[in-house]
Structure formats: structure tokens, C-alpha cells
Amino acid sequence: MDVSFGRGHNLRLCYRSCLLLGFVLRKRFEGLRSRKGDVAGLSEIDVDKTMRLIDKLWEVRPGKSGDPRQLIDLCVRRDYNDKHGHRIAFPIPHYAPGEDPGRLKPVLDVIKIFDAETSPAARIFSSREQKTEWGTVRLLEPQVSLSRLLPLHRAKVVSSEEMTFLEDVGQMCGYLEPDQVIAIGRHEDADGTRQSLLWEMYRWKESTLDALDTLQSFGTYAEAPAPAASASRKLWQSWSFALECKKKAGLLCEDKYGSDRRFYVEGLDYLQSDEVTIERPVLDLLLSVQASGDEIWQDPLVSTLRFPAFCCWTFSSYCCGTLLKLDPFKGSEFARRTASVSAEDLQRAHWYLTKCVGVSREAQPAEFSLEWLERLENTPLVEIRLVPEEVIGDSTKTADFVANAQEIAQWVIETCVEPAIEGLDSQEA
Amino acid sequence: MTAGRRASSEDIGPEIQAFMRLAFDTVKPRWVVTVERKGTALIRTHCDPDHRRGHPTDWGKVISSEALQRVDPAALREGNFLVLDEGIYHGRRIQKALDVLEEKQVPRNRVKVAAFSVHEHSSFEDVSVRWFGELASDRYGEVRRRLIEYFQQQGSLLLDTEHIEVPVELNCGPLEFFDALCRAGVGVEHVSGGGQQNLTIYNPVLLDEADLLRRLPRKTTIRNVVRKIRVVERARNRYAIIPIFYPSVPAEAGLDSMDNIEECLRAQAFDAESMFHLVGVFAAINLFRTVFAFLRDLIRDGKISVSVPQLGDVDDSVSHLKVLFPSLDIEALRGFVERSVEAGRAYRLRRPQMRTTVRVEAVEGTRYGAELRRLHWLVLRRVLDVWHRSPGKRRGATLAELMQIGQTNKLAPQSEVAEALLSAAIDRAIDDADLIPDVSVLPFSDGVRRVVRTFKLDGELILSDVERTAALWRSMTDAPPIRDRGTQWM
């Protein structure tokens, strides 16, 4: 089999892969639109994770042949990981045959480059901006119809069965809500979820230390807006990485943020329900590549990370949630993004954190639950000096709060996070 | 004069252009009589600036064979005539055109016939210019097929001569454009044999339907009639929008019933059949209001640009109507088209008028593509059945007779999608020159006889091909397997 690594050949493979992905995304978009009415587009994370799901299914599609004319597999890697989590990525074509590529570029980023260089009629996506509570979000509307795959079909790169398969996959994806397709796209087995969760904890650690360092350099927090803007962004990043830890660990499934475990199980259950009309072989294929929710989240590879992930979440809810309510940060875009954090949430976070910092490394549970934590009677191993209401009502306490937060963060990192992320072995962006 | 070339399957475009130059240089015609439809399609491919020398530079010198009867003999007193067709199988259509010219007292020595290809069994021998001659059936079919693909590549030129189109230029993805139009009706996207993207919007919404009906001749019906918007890719980022709408007009309607139709069209009416065609043009132009009402937002956002071409422009898509209506005021007609486009752009759609976008992709290699092919065959088969079973004079099948095929559709549980697919299948059959539109006068259940659009098989070659296939392939629900070469049926 001729697997030429010439730049032109590789680019052609990349482009063809993008067309296939773009087509399935189009079917997803149309499915959502037919069920929900006007849909302005798909979020970038929705697109990103759906593409990962498509690759998982394309890899194991029925009738896959070794015909070198065909697009046997999409030329992507699925274990690429960056601040957006597990993604599919293309190998960058600057290496000699036999060498490990080493460098990867996320598929979505490559498509943006393709689209920037082509006329609107030839783009994979058209985009528009939409204002949400999270700020301005870029929505993508896939623009690849079947007629654009026709040249590939005629050149026997893609067979009729494969085109039908892609349609069926797209139709199936069209039944899933964004949270569900994101969860199913980024999880498939316990090992992958563990890796993904460890990366989130690593990023949480880095962003939290960075945020607290930045805050410590402020004096009275009544500084000029620019430092506060930078600090609020970092606080929000820490909070959002903590949220990802919580979601990926399958914690607090029923709260307002949900969890990947809940969305994953809901999505797979819905696809198997009578309300959905999809081709059975495609559904069976999906169920064969995706472990069940229990197989992922009850596996010790994942369940042993629940407590550390909970600590990250509880800390950031307490610390970042409190700070973003203070005057220097109020009104900032990032404070608006955490507007959903209520006073009750802060109280609860404070209480849980008090409990968590009383659990030594040896006493960490193999299977964490809130009930376990609530039953715990222990003494904090690091002092939590201030409750959120005290800080929000009195700006003179901010410096002390930040200093204390650093101590607590250090404890969480040393006791919970670093022991966990020691085994991190996936490549980093 | 015979070029004596051997038929080949290579790109036929340069040969067509060479043939046209040869025909015009040899005959030096004052008039060109085009045998509908492919003769007119040949002229449409030929009317570009590079080939204007010695050729008619305006459509006023081109007359369709179907319009010849209406021309005043006094206008035909001078100059040579070039009777043009893409192919001569038996020669009946050419002979018919020559007979009409003879009736108009045009001397035979002023008339020359040119055909791109001639079948070996043609009884018509007096061909002055031919590119391929003495072709056996297989070769004749192959040349015909290549020619049709060429017409498709040039932009589906086998649509009726009387269709008006407005070009648009996209500055957005084609699906945004298609989706906007598919809010006016169910859309079926397919790719022509020439590789051009096509979209057919089935039964698009009528804005101000009551007003339209008031302007049509009394007792005209718009039920079970052809009403669609064709969108045809002409070049990268350029599409032609072609509305098609043929209300069924009472056969006994007097000319005064046309009083509310646009003046420039009204003046061309002289009998029931001409009224049918003119009402069709009028109704179709009204559909531009629908088109541009649904494209309003895209135009406002700069994602689409539109302008009705000026007369004589390369993409002038109004002047060719003179082929059918030689005394038509083209300037006024263009003005009507422009007003309709502007009215659409200014129209604010109401929520009930905006449907959810439904767009079906019926592309080769997919389920819907296979369904389209199946329906294409069933349409031809049904047309053949109607042809054979017509009492009295043989006629084509009506749309209502073809729509009964849609009940066999298993893929599309929603009946409107099934009808839209069938409508697209009819478009494919016309584009592939398997079917040709026609008109018939038929009785209706309300006791009124009306002129209706019908569809018949396009010529003896197709008729015999379909008959032979139908004899070998008896299934009433499935299409025969695809053949590798020549015509697509067995």
C-alpha cells in the first residue's frame, strides 16, 4: 500500500477528511434544526467533539476495505489533548517517512485555515457570533452537502455504502443535544476518561497557581481596571477548568452544570429509545465502541479521581466564585460568566471544602460520594479562615482571603492533584 | 458539406463550436429556425462574444420551429434560412419545419439544413452541413448523450425556451443560499449529468395568491400543476434561478380573459395554446417575488448579489423568448421581471409563510440518489403507458398522472417530500433529454376543458429505448440496473 507522506498528498487526505467530517456535521445540524426549529449553528466544542465521535465510528465502519484509492481512515489522531480537552488532530506534514510525526494540529484549527483561504462557496463552515451569558460565542454552520462528496464517490475514494453510512451517522448525531454529543464524543472508555481528567486537573493546577500569583501582586484590589481584567480572566479559567474536572469525573450529576456521565448515559439511552428512528447497524456500532456509563465511571481508573476532582471544584467554587463577586471584578465579562454561582453555592462550597481539607492522602476514598463526605467527621488539615460572605462584604479582608486561598490551593495540589497527575502520559499541545 | 468525423466520447464542446461556425459560414443565414428544444440550446451555447462574427447577434433573427406558424410571410421574403437541429434520426421534425416554411412561400433554395449528427437510417437526405453522418444507433446515441452532457455543463440549457432566469452571485456557502430558498418549499438537491449542482423547490409558497388568481383567465386552475423553482449552478458561485409555473388554462377562454395579464405578454396571445404559454410566463415571473422575498435577508447582508441582466448582455436571459414570440416587446418584459424581483426584495414575509427548511439530497451513491433514479425510470415508464393508452391522439402524461407514482415511495414518509422527489425526477428526465414538455387539451371533472402541461418521451430514440427496456424489465416499482455506456437504461 502506497502511503505517500508527500506534503501535497497529505494535504489532500486532510482535505478529504475535512469534507467527510463537514458532511456528517451538516447532517447533525439539519437534524437538530428539524427537531428544534431555528438553530443558529453548532458551537465549536460541539463540532470538535462530534468530529471525534465520527472518527471513532468511521474507523470501525462495516465494509471497510484496504483499497488504497479509498479514504481508509481519516488521517487524524484521537488522543491529542490541549486546553479544550481530547480532540482529533492532523499530523503536520513536515517529517520523513518512518519518523514519528510528533507535531499535531487540531482538525478544527486546520479547517479554519482552509476556510480562511477559500471563497465562501467552498468553505467547510460559515460562522456567526451569538451573545450568551458566557460572552460572545462563535457558532458554525456546516456547508458540506452530498454533492461535494460526489467527486470523491466518482473517484472511488468513498463508496456508496460509505456515503450512506455517513448520512446515517449524521442523522444519529442529529438526535443528540449538544451536551450529549460532547460527552459521547470525548469519552469512550475508562482509560481515556482518566487521561482526559488528569489533563484537566493539571490545567486546573497551573491556572489556579497563576491566578493566585497574579492576585497576590495586587495591593488593595482597587487598582486600575487592566490588572483586574487580567486577574478576573485567570480566576475564571481556574473556575472553568475545575468545572471540567467535576463534569468529567461524573460528579454532582444533577446540579445546574450537569456532568459528562449524566449526559453520556442520557444520550445513549435516548438513541436506543422508541422516540428515535435511526439505522440499527449504526446504533449497534456506536454501542460497540462506547463503553457504558458504569463501565467508565465506576472503573477504579476513574472513580479514584473523583475525590481529587471534587476538591478542585470545591476550591474553585469557594475561591474564584467569591473573588469574582468583589467590586474590582464585578461587571467584567468573566464575572458575568460566573453569575450563576449563588450565595448558597458559595456557602455550600465553603462547607464542603472544610470537609475536604480534613482528608489526608491515605484516607482518600476509592469511591467518593457526597454522602461519604457528609458523614465524615474530621478536622481540617489546613485552616479556612474566612467565609465568603465576610469577604464579599468587606474589601479589607480580600488580601487575607487570597493569602489563605494560596495555602488551601497548595494543600489541595500536594495532597490530591499531584499524586494523581504523576501518571499523566499523553502528549501535550 | 460533411465534416466526416468519427464519433468519439471526448469533450464535444470544441466540435459543437466548430460545427456552428461551419454552419454559419457556409449558409450565411438571415434567419435561423431552431428545431425545439436542442436546436435552440445549440444557439444558446453559441451566443457568446467570441463567436459572434457572421452569426445572428440578436434573438430577433432566431425563430423556433414551434413559432414559425405565427410569423408573417412578408417578414420572411429575404435572406437565407438555416434550419438547425442537434440530430436527425428519421427526419420528421426537420421535414415539418421545412413544410411550414414552404407554406410561408419561402423558396426551398433559400433554405439549408444543418444537423450536428445524422443517423444512418434517416430518410431526410438534403443536409447541407453535418458534423457526424451515417451514424449507427449506438454511435448516434453516444453523440446525443455527450451533447446533452455538454448542454448540462453549460447550465441545463434543455429547459424550455420560454423560461426566464435571473442570475445570482454568492458570497456565502451554497447551503445558506439553498436553505433560504427551501423555506419557500421542499427542496431537492441533485447533481446533473454535467456535474452542475441543481436545486428544485417544489410547490413554493405563493405570495398574495388571491391577487394572482384574480389576474389569471377565469376558471384557470393552479391545482396539480407544475409549480417549482429551479436553481442551476452556472459557474463557481453563480447560480441561475428559474421559476416554472404552468396554470391550466381553459381551452375556450377568449383573448379578453387575458386582460389582467401583463400587456407585453397579453399582446402575443392568439389561441388557447399560446395563452397557456403566456400565462405560464406571467405566473413564473410572479414567482420571482417569492424567490427574492426569501432571499431578502441574504441580499441585505451582502451574501448574495442580484441584478437582472440588460438586454444583449452575455447572461441576458429574457431575449431568447423572441424565438417563441417573435414580436414580443422584450424591453417591457425585462421591466416586468425587474419589478417582480424588486417587489420580492421589498416584501416582508409573515411568520406563517416561512416554513421549516426541508432539503433532501438526492445525490448519486446515496439512498435518495437511488430513489431519484428509480423515480426517473418510473416516470419514463408511466409516460410510455399514457402514450400507448391515450384514446385518440397520443399525448404526454400530466403531472397528476405522474404524481401517482409517488405513492410507491418508501423512503419519504412525508408525502410532500415524496412529491418533491418526483418533481426532481421529472426535472432530471428533462435535463437528460429523456422527456420533453408538451401541452394537451383535456377534460376536467368540473366539465371544463383546459390546456395542461404534459410530458412525453423526447424522440424516437428514447421512445424505442424505453419500450425495449420496459419489455425486458417488468418491475413496476424498481429501476433497471445501470448500463455502463450509451443510454442509462438496459
Side-chain angles (χ1 to χ4, degrees):
Chain A
M1 182 159 72
D2 176 22
V3 194
S4 168
F5 285 97
R7 183 184 168 84
H9 179 77
N10 212 335
L11 280 174
R12 193 163 55 245
L13 287 178
C14 289
Y15 183 66
R16 286 172 174 175
S17 302
C18 290
L19 281 182
L20 264 60
L21 293 166
F23 171 68
V24 179
L25 286 162
R26 177 72 199 182
K27 290 288 123 187
R28 165 166 168 69
F29 170 73
E30 289 177 356
L32 277 176
R33 188 175 60 185
S34 73
R35 288 189 303 114
K36 298 162 83 111
D38 248 337
V39 171
L42 307 175
S43 69
E44 290 194 357
I45 185 172
D46 184 319
V47 165
D48 201 66
K49 305 312 172 201
T50 305
M51 291 197 295
R52 193 167 182 275
L53 172 59
I54 296 164
D55 180 58
K56 284 191 271 191
L57 296 172
W58 183 254
E59 188 180 76
V60 297
R61 70 191 181 281
K64 185 172 168 180
S65 83
D67 186 341
R69 287 175 300 178
Q70 287 201 312
L71 195 62
I72 301 166
D73 285 310
L74 303 181
C75 56
V76 300
R77 293 277 295 267
R78 268 205 309 271
D79 54 356
Y80 178 87
N81 211 303
D82 67 9
K83 63 179 181 179
H84 300 291
H86 257 134
R87 313 174 73 181
I88 56 171
F90 287 128
I92 298 174
H94 288 300
Y95 52 86
E99 267 184 44
D100 185 66
R103 286 185 296 158
L104 303 173
K105 200 164 182 68
V107 171
L108 189 56
D109 294 355
V110 172
I111 292 176
K112 287 179 190 174
I113 296 169
F114 279 146
D115 282 352
E117 300 290 321
T118 57
S119 69
R123 288 176 187 161
I124 307 287
F125 297 117
S126 63
S127 67
R128 56 175 63 95
E129 312 237 308
Q130 190 179 66
K131 285 194 170 42
T132 70
E133 59 174 331
W134 299 94
T136 303
V137 166
R138 190 161 159 256
L139 296 179
L140 304 175
E141 182 182 326
Q143 293 293 318
V144 181
S145 67
L146 265 173
S147 55
R148 282 179 73 180
L149 297 190
L150 197 53
L152 299 184
H153 179 254
R154 287 182 176 162
K156 302 200 189 312
V157 173
V158 179
S159 68
S160 299
E161 291 72 27
E162 286 167 338
M163 282 172 70
T164 304
F165 176 79
L166 290 171
E167 270 192 291
D168 291 342
V169 170
Q171 190 199 14
M172 179 176 70
C173 291
Y175 280 105
L176 295 170
E177 295 298 322
D179 283 330
Q180 292 167 351
V181 81
I182 288 167
I184 296 172
R186 62 186 179 189
H187 298 283
E188 60 273 350
D189 56 38
D191 187 58
T193 296
R194 177 184 175 82
Q195 290 295 314
S196 189
L197 185 44
L198 289 175
W199 272 114
E200 292 302 342
M201 289 165 66
Y202 172 79
R203 283 187 277 265
W204 172 84
K205 179 193 102 171
E206 298 292 305
S207 62
T208 301
L209 291 176
D210 187 27
L212 292 172
D213 282 344
T214 304
L215 285 168
Q216 227 194 4
S217 66
F218 288 172
T220 62
Y221 300 94
E223 302 290 331
S230 158
S232 70
R233 164 184 274 280
K234 292 181 183 190
L235 285 170
W236 175 78
Q237 275 186 331
S238 165
W239 183 85
S240 61
F241 283 131
L243 179 60
E244 286 302 305
C245 289
K246 166 200 132 39
K247 287 169 93 168
K248 285 183 178 172
L251 291 164
L252 306 173
C253 292
E254 302 307 323
D255 75 1
K256 60 191 152 198
Y257 306 106
S259 79
D260 280 7
R261 179 176 187 173
R262 182 184 122 204
F263 299 133
Y264 184 94
V265 172
E266 278 177 357
L268 291 182
D269 285 349
Y270 181 61
L271 290 178
Q272 298 175 79
S273 72
D274 293 335
E275 294 173 50
V276 167
T277 313
I278 48 180
E279 293 295 319
R280 188 70 219 187
V282 171
L283 178 60
D284 289 344
L285 203 63
L286 176 71
L287 297 175
S288 74
V289 301
Q290 303 282 143
S292 70
D294 285 351
E295 283 171 337
I296 296 176
W297 280 281
Q298 283 179 203
D299 189 299
L301 286 174
V302 178
S303 64
T304 50
L305 295 181
R306 284 165 61 87
F307 179 72
F310 184 75
C311 291
C312 298
W313 169 241
T314 302
F315 172 81
S316 285
S317 295
Y318 165 76
C319 172
C320 309
T322 301
L323 288 170
L324 283 169
K325 297 223 185 288
L326 300 185
D327 285 340
F329 308 111
K330 252 189 211 174
S332 73
E333 179 192 338
F334 302 100
R336 281 199 298 278
R337 293 185 186 188
T338 52
S340 56
V341 178
S342 65
E344 291 73 23
D345 292 333
L346 293 179
Q347 267 184 348
R348 197 176 310 120
H350 171 254
W351 190 82
Y352 283 143
L353 190 61
T354 311
K355 287 277 191 177
C356 287
V357 298
V359 180
S360 66
R361 189 192 293 201
E362 297 73 28
Q364 287 178 24
E367 284 226 28
F368 167 78
S369 70
L370 277 184
E371 292 73 27
W372 174 87
L373 189 71
E374 283 161 2
R375 282 195 305 268
L376 205 56
E377 288 181 14
N378 61 0
T379 307
L381 299 171
V382 61
E383 190 189 0
I384 302 179
R385 292 195 284 275
L386 293 161
V387 294
E389 306 90 83
E390 289 179 276
V391 183
I392 293 170
D394 182 355
S395 62
T396 62
K397 296 208 163 77
T398 310
D400 191 23
F401 180 82
V402 170
N404 186 211
Q406 280 204 307
E407 294 163 19
I408 302 167
Q410 208 56 49
W411 186 93
V412 169
I413 290 166
E414 285 169 10
T415 310
C416 305
V417 175
E418 270 181 347
I421 65 178
E422 259 172 17
L424 199 59
D425 59 0
S426 289
Q427 53 89 39
E428 168 70 295
Chain B
M1 178 184 301
T2 307
R5 305 286 165 131
R6 198 170 161 275
S8 86
S9 59
E10 290 165 359
D11 180 16
I12 211 165
E15 293 190 86
I16 292 171
Q17 298 305 318
F19 160 72
M20 294 294 283
R21 280 196 296 277
L22 180 64
F24 279 88
D25 288 347
T26 305
V27 178
K28 295 182 178 45
R30 166 79 171 74
W31 299 97
V32 179
V33 176
T34 54
V35 178
E36 282 296 317
R37 292 169 298 156
K38 297 182 208 60
T40 309
L42 273 175
I43 288 285
R44 289 179 77 183
T45 68
H46 191 58
C47 277
D48 63 279
D50 293 341
H51 296 94
R52 284 197 187 258
R53 66 174 198 286
H55 305 149
T57 56
D58 68 79
W59 285 97
K61 294 188 172 64
V62 182
I63 314 171
S64 160
S65 53
E66 291 177 11
L68 206 47
Q69 283 285 8
R70 300 197 281 278
V71 178
D72 181 357
L76 306 176
R77 290 233 169 88
E78 297 194 359
N80 289 339
F81 284 75
L82 172 63
V83 179
L84 181 67
D85 201 356
E86 104 324 322
I88 297 178
Y89 191 73
H90 283 130
R92 292 189 196 114
R93 287 186 309 202
I94 286 277
Q95 189 59 57
K96 198 171 153 191
L98 293 177
D99 291 344
V100 174
L101 283 172
E102 195 179 331
E103 282 172 28
K104 302 283 174 184
Q105 291 156 15
V106 174
R108 187 67 180 87
N109 62 1
R110 280 170 49 208
V111 180
K112 307 290 180 199
V113 172
F116 188 67
S117 61
V118 181
H119 193 272
E120 62 184 350
H121 292 147
S122 165
S123 56
F124 188 88
E125 291 180 351
D126 188 12
V127 181
S128 302
V129 181
R130 74 186 78 183
W131 195 255
F132 294 113
E134 303 295 320
L135 293 180
S137 292
D138 265 3
R139 290 298 191 194
Y140 184 85
E142 188 186 325
V143 170
R144 182 181 187 276
R145 185 178 56 81
R146 296 300 304 162
L147 193 72
I148 290 160
E149 274 178 21
Y150 177 72
F151 288 149
Q152 289 168 343
Q153 282 159 10
Q154 300 304 302
S156 285
L157 296 180
L158 286 177
L159 295 178
D160 272 3
T161 309
E162 66 205 31
H163 294 323
I164 291 174
E165 59 187 64
V166 168
V168 293
E169 186 126 10
L170 301 195
N171 195 29
C172 64
L175 294 188
E176 270 193 86
F177 168 53
F178 285 0
D179 277 358
L181 288 174
C182 289
R183 300 193 80 172
V186 174
V188 176
E189 185 185 339
H190 55 103
V191 177
S192 71
Q196 313 300 103
Q197 222 176 359
N198 276 247
L199 177 73
T200 300
I201 308 291
Y202 173 70
N203 265 5
V205 159
L206 284 176
L207 308 181
D208 301 329
E209 180 175 330
D211 178 61
L212 175 68
L213 286 172
R214 267 196 299 278
R215 300 184 68 181
L216 298 179
R218 210 170 70 86
K219 295 193 180 176
T220 297
T221 179
I222 60 171
R223 282 190 68 239
N224 290 324
V225 301
V226 173
R227 181 170 103 219
K228 61 179 80 174
I229 298 166
R230 290 283 313 266
V231 183
V232 176
E233 185 183 12
R234 289 265 189 257
R236 196 172 183 79
N237 299 336
R238 282 182 67 83
Y239 289 80
I241 299 179
I242 309 167
I244 301 172
F245 189 2
Y246 286 108
S248 299
V249 176
E252 319 304 327
L255 294 181
D256 57 351
S257 65
M258 298 276 284
D259 281 352
N260 293 319
I261 302 290
E262 203 72 12
E263 160 67 32
C264 59
L265 294 171
R266 187 166 75 233
Q268 302 301 308
F270 62 90
D271 63 7
E273 191 172 320
S274 65
M275 282 168 59
F276 170 82
H277 288 293
L278 291 161
V279 166
V281 174
F282 173 76
I285 294 175
N286 265 279
L287 271 183
F288 278 123
R289 297 177 67 211
T290 297
V291 169
F292 289 99
F294 281 88
L295 293 179
R296 186 171 185 252
D297 289 348
L298 290 183
I299 296 171
R300 180 200 59 208
D301 295 342
K303 293 183 174 179
I304 288 179
S305 55
V306 58
S307 79
V308 178
Q310 298 294 330
L311 302 181
D313 280 356
V314 168
D315 51 359
D316 172 6
S317 54
V318 173
S319 298
H320 64 276
L321 259 73
K322 280 185 87 74
V323 172
L324 281 178
F325 305 105
S327 59
L328 181 60
D329 183 349
I330 292 294
E331 192 88 47
L333 185 66
R334 183 192 170 279
F336 177 35
V337 172
E338 201 167 42
R339 286 195 305 278
S340 194
V341 169
E342 291 309 312
R345 289 178 65 166
Y347 191 95
R348 281 188 182 279
L349 289 164
R350 297 183 293 280
R351 199 154 277 281
Q353 290 174 306
M354 291 191 283
R355 312 160 48 127
T356 307
T357 300
V358 178
R359 185 177 56 84
V360 174
E361 291 180 279
V363 168
E364 165 198 320
T366 66
R367 278 197 212 95
Y368 277 123
E371 178 64 8
L372 193 67
R373 184 177 177 273
R374 185 186 80 96
L375 292 173
H376 183 163
W377 164 250
L378 292 181
V379 162
L380 298 185
R381 180 145 196 166
R382 187 101 175 97
V383 168
L384 182 71
D385 288 345
V386 170
W387 181 259
H388 283 312
R389 289 177 198 168
S390 312
K393 185 183 172 198
R394 290 188 174 183
R395 64 168 176 87
T398 65
L399 184 67
E401 285 164 339
L402 294 179
M403 278 297 161
Q404 289 163 6
I405 298 168
Q407 290 160 12
T408 66
N409 193 305
K410 292 171 196 156
L411 275 187
Q414 300 163 357
S415 63
E416 208 177 1
V417 171
E419 288 174 4
L421 275 167
L422 192 58
S423 176
I426 296 170
D427 287 346
R428 279 298 295 269
I430 293 173
D431 266 355
D432 288 355
D434 290 335
L435 282 188
I436 188 167
D438 196 14
V439 293
S440 295
V441 178
L442 294 173
F444 278 62
S445 56
D446 60 354
V448 178
R449 290 173 59 79
R450 293 184 173 90
V451 185
V452 304
R453 167 61 86 216
T454 56
F455 302 93
K456 62 182 187 186
L457 296 171
D458 188 354
E460 299 99 337
L461 187 68
I462 297 300
L463 181 66
S464 60
D465 194 35
V466 175
E467 269 184 340
R468 191 171 54 247
T469 306
L472 290 169
W473 183 264
R474 302 296 178 87
S475 169
M476 297 302 289
T477 53
D478 296 319
I482 294 173
R483 198 178 132 177
D484 283 337
R485 58 183 181 82
T487 55
Q488 67 166 320
W489 312 114
M490 287 161 67

